[in-house]
Amino acid sequence: MMTTIALIRNRAMKSIRRILTSSRNSSPFLSTPAHYGHAPSIASNSPKPRFNQHHPLQTHRIKGIAQEIFGLPSSNFAPLSMPFILITFNRDVSTFKVRNCSTSVENRGHDNNFERIYVQGGMNNVKPLVVESSHEDVTDERNLSGEVNVSVGKSKWEESEVEKEAWKLLQGAVVTYCGNPVGTVAANDPGDKLPLNYDQVFLRDFIPSALAFLLRGESEIVKNFLLHTLQLQSWEKTVDCYSPGQGLMPASFKVRTVALDEDKREEVLDPDFGESAIGRVAPVDSGLWWIILLRAYGKLTGDCSLQERADVQTGLKMILNLCLTDGFDMFPSLLVTDGSCMIDRRMGIHGHPLEIQALFYSALRCSREMLVVTEGTDHLIRAINNRLSALSFHIREYYWVDMKKMNEIYRYKTEEYSMDAINKFNIYPEQIPLWLMDWIPEEGGYLIGNLQPAHMDFRFFTLGNLWSIVSSLGTPRQNQATLNLIEAKWDDLVGHMPLKICYPALDNEEWRITTGSDPKNTPWSYHNGGSWPTLLWQFTLACIKMGRTELAQKAVALAEKRLPVDSWPEYYDTRTGKFIGKQARMYQTWTIAGFLTSKMLLKDPETASRLFWEEDYELLDICVCGLSKNGRKRCSRGAARSQILV
């Protein structure tokens, strides 16, 4: 027995010494290979980091270390069941916590039976997360409050005074963790005495900030953000004793400084999975945006090593497992509750909202590009392909509305029971709203906001439609028709400030029933028909993809005139976006970043092309129905393709 223990200890120590080759002060399991640069050192007087007590201190996930350290054959690790190796590094003792987290599409409960193996050492001086970065164009400067800002090199394009002001504000919103930038706060209004959670780093809010930094050649903050949020991925977090699924990404996180004793202080990353949010709703879109940003990082930097890391691959699989888990729902779209996306309050979008489906489709396409192909990922890649095919068909066929489709719905027969039913979801023609009949142009169309049995939400939701264009969820003809609609209804959807989050607003009894008489979502305000400048960058990307840059330039020019004068507000109110939102935060970071990203995308359309997807014709040939041996399943894909695909 003693011989066996000594053998294990010796093998572990040799493996650890072999890994610890670059620096004693770096974290070898979370830094990239040495040839990519040198990790920034942490000052000795810097506060030591740790994660919230719900998460293990310095949790690092590494693929394959168990085989090397413990001499286990690779066959011990079953396909699609890659374990996480959770490592806490101390000066004298290294504690290895091994958790088996399934990467199959089936959800598994938490496994709290960790095997602990102690190697010779002590319990002091926990090392912080260290991420390597390039310092060629980056310097640190401290603002008046003593916080570190990201200072980037000169832009390769000439900047206007408005852009220079926006960059200064964006740099002032940077949040640091142990001296390294990890994100930007939601809003940085010096006059706001009650910031609520606007002083946190939101995953969805950081996306335009990340793209702005990447387009300017600054990648360190984005890399740090991706790795730190991966560390916060759901493991043990609970909400009133209910546990979210493994793989859930937080809605936001905050860097807190806590006192250990009179002389020592410590920085803590405190995530919010929705347990503090209004309505207590978990964010479905956070993990999807994380995957999209991971791909964008690789596309814009040319560095794919981050995607290939074992911990990143494992985190990616966990998100996919959470999204691809089978349930009672028969649709290929994701079933979610109200408030689980950008519209994070009750607005009648529960079910299968378009925004989530467009992001889900994008995340699946990103994952198919980034997943490392092994025997263990074959099943997952096959599930992704099947879902992509089914989802694109479902959205293109059943969510699309134009004059032709409205005439079809107008003459629907109801109560059909058969495999050949035309009105598959039993939609009653009376659901077609009166405003829509005169509003939709002859040459335009759009994807409706939601589809459920006996219910179609005919509101125009901007983000879902724009991201359907960017991701090619819609067909080329549908994508052009959507931009035709925006151009024809410019006064309604853009007005004085781009862009409406949805159109039209709910009012009167419909507002009271649908929103629960929400005083913040009154008609033409906030989520209920308010105008959100942050949507500008998605609009710009969609216009560049479809060769309609003149529309984006027109919208950016409108924003450039008003945003700096109005102190970069979060949103605008009224039917045409004339007034600053009644409860809007000023110096909203994603408003600033969305403007900057739009300007840079227009200046460099070639780079912008790396951020969107073209039509994938292979998906059109994959039919999920054809994979079944059950002859009762019949598919209308052929007829649908002849009608809507061009």
Side-chain angles (χ1 to χ4, degrees), residues 225-295:
F225 172 85
L226 288 167
L227 291 176
H228 279 292
T229 49
L230 179 65
Q231 292 287 314
L232 301 175
Q233 196 173 28
S234 175
W235 283 77
E236 303 293 340
K237 194 76 171 179
T238 59
V239 182
D240 293 338
C241 299
Y242 293 92
S243 178
Q246 286 185 350
L248 179 69
M249 301 296 283
S252 63
F253 66 87
K254 185 178 178 64
V255 179
R256 302 184 187 276
T257 303
V258 297
L260 298 180
D261 51 41
E262 294 182 357
D263 300 326
K264 295 182 180 179
R265 301 182 67 82
E266 183 175 68
E267 283 191 344
V268 178
L269 284 180
D270 188 15
D272 179 10
F273 289 87
E275 68 272 25
S276 300
I278 297 173
R280 302 302 190 266
V281 179
V284 176
D285 61 340
S286 289
L288 306 178
W289 277 123
W290 186 88
I291 293 175
I292 293 169
L293 180 59
L294 179 63
R295 173 188 181 265

Side-chain angles (χ1 to χ4, degrees), residues 75-145:
S75 59
N76 285 11
F77 294 84
L80 294 175
S81 300
M82 184 179 72
F84 286 178
I85 308 301
L86 308 186
I87 303 176
T88 301
F89 262 99
N90 299 321
R91 173 176 295 173
D92 300 318
V93 173
S94 295
T95 306
F96 294 80
K97 301 179 180 180
V98 181
R99 173 180 292 162
N100 183 15
C101 293
S102 172
T103 56
S104 69
V105 294
E106 298 178 358
N107 194 18
R108 297 180 58 179
H110 294 289
D111 181 7
N112 293 320
N113 298 320
F114 302 119
E115 180 182 357
R116 298 168 179 261
I117 298 179
Y118 295 93
V119 184
Q120 183 178 1
M123 294 292 291
N124 301 319
N125 194 22
V126 177
K127 297 293 188 298
L129 171 64
V130 177
V131 182
E132 293 185 356
S133 62
S134 173
H135 297 279
E136 293 179 358
D137 296 318
V138 183
T139 59
D140 288 341
E141 64 180 40
R142 297 185 179 271
N143 57 24
L144 295 178
S145 63

Side-chain angles (χ1 to χ4, degrees), residues 244-408:
Q246 286 185 350
L248 179 69
M249 301 296 283
S252 63
F253 66 87
K254 185 178 178 64
V255 179
R256 302 184 187 276
T257 303
V258 297
L260 298 180
D261 51 41
E262 294 182 357
D263 300 326
K264 295 182 180 179
R265 301 182 67 82
E266 183 175 68
E267 283 191 344
V268 178
L269 284 180
D270 188 15
D272 179 10
F273 289 87
E275 68 272 25
S276 300
I278 297 173
R280 302 302 190 266
V281 179
V284 176
D285 61 340
S286 289
L288 306 178
W289 277 123
W290 186 88
I291 293 175
I292 293 169
L293 180 59
L294 179 63
R295 173 188 181 265
Y297 176 88
K299 288 289 185 179
L300 294 179
T301 64
D303 176 15
C304 294
S305 62
L306 182 66
Q307 302 170 4
E308 297 166 356
R309 287 172 46 138
D311 53 345
V312 173
Q313 285 285 310
T314 306
L316 176 62
K317 293 173 187 176
M318 288 183 69
I319 298 173
L320 292 173
N321 294 336
L322 187 63
C323 294
L324 294 173
T325 299
D326 291 334
F328 290 100
D329 192 33
M330 304 232 354
F331 296 171
S333 46
L334 277 183
L335 177 63
V336 298
T337 188
D338 226 338
S340 60
C341 53
M342 179 180 176
I343 299 178
D344 57 2
R345 299 166 75 93
R346 179 178 168 187
M347 269 290 292
I349 63 170
H350 55 279
H352 305 84
L354 176 64
E355 176 182 333
I356 291 295
Q357 313 318 320
L359 294 175
F360 181 38
Y361 183 80
S362 299
L364 290 177
R365 291 197 66 175
C366 292
S367 301
R368 193 172 61 158
E369 293 179 29
M370 296 186 297
L371 275 174
V372 175
V373 180
T374 64
E375 291 183 1
T377 59
D378 286 347
H379 180 57
L380 189 57
I381 293 173
R382 186 164 54 251
I384 290 172
N385 284 329
N386 291 342
R387 181 62 73 90
L388 280 170
S389 175
L391 182 60
S392 62
F393 170 73
H394 183 77
I395 298 297
R396 293 175 174 188
E397 175 70 1
Y398 302 121
Y399 275 61
W400 180 252
V401 167
D402 55 11
M403 286 299 296
K404 180 181 178 182
K405 186 69 173 182
M406 283 181 58
N407 270 288
E408 180 184 329

Side-chain angles (χ1 to χ4, degrees), residues 156-175:
K156 57 183 176 181
W157 306 291
E158 185 176 348
E159 295 177 342
S160 65
E161 291 301 319
V162 175
E163 290 174 85
K164 291 178 182 178
E165 176 191 348
W167 272 113
K168 183 178 179 181
L169 292 171
L170 182 59
Q171 292 164 5
V174 169
V175 174

Side-chain angles (χ1 to χ4, degrees), residues 1-9 115:
M1 182 65 181
M2 293 299 294
T3 303
T4 302
I5 294 176
L7 177 60
I8 293 176
R9 183 185 64 187
E115 180 182 357

Side-chain angles (χ1 to χ4, degrees), residues 440-472:
I440 193 167
E442 290 286 343
E443 300 300 323
Y446 67 100
L447 296 169
I448 63 171
N450 213 327
L451 174 67
Q452 300 183 74
H455 173 70
M456 296 181 77
D457 186 346
F458 287 97
R459 286 176 291 174
F460 178 89
F461 287 88
T462 302
L463 177 55
N465 273 278
L466 293 179
W467 209 252
S468 295
I469 296 174
V470 172
S471 64
S472 286

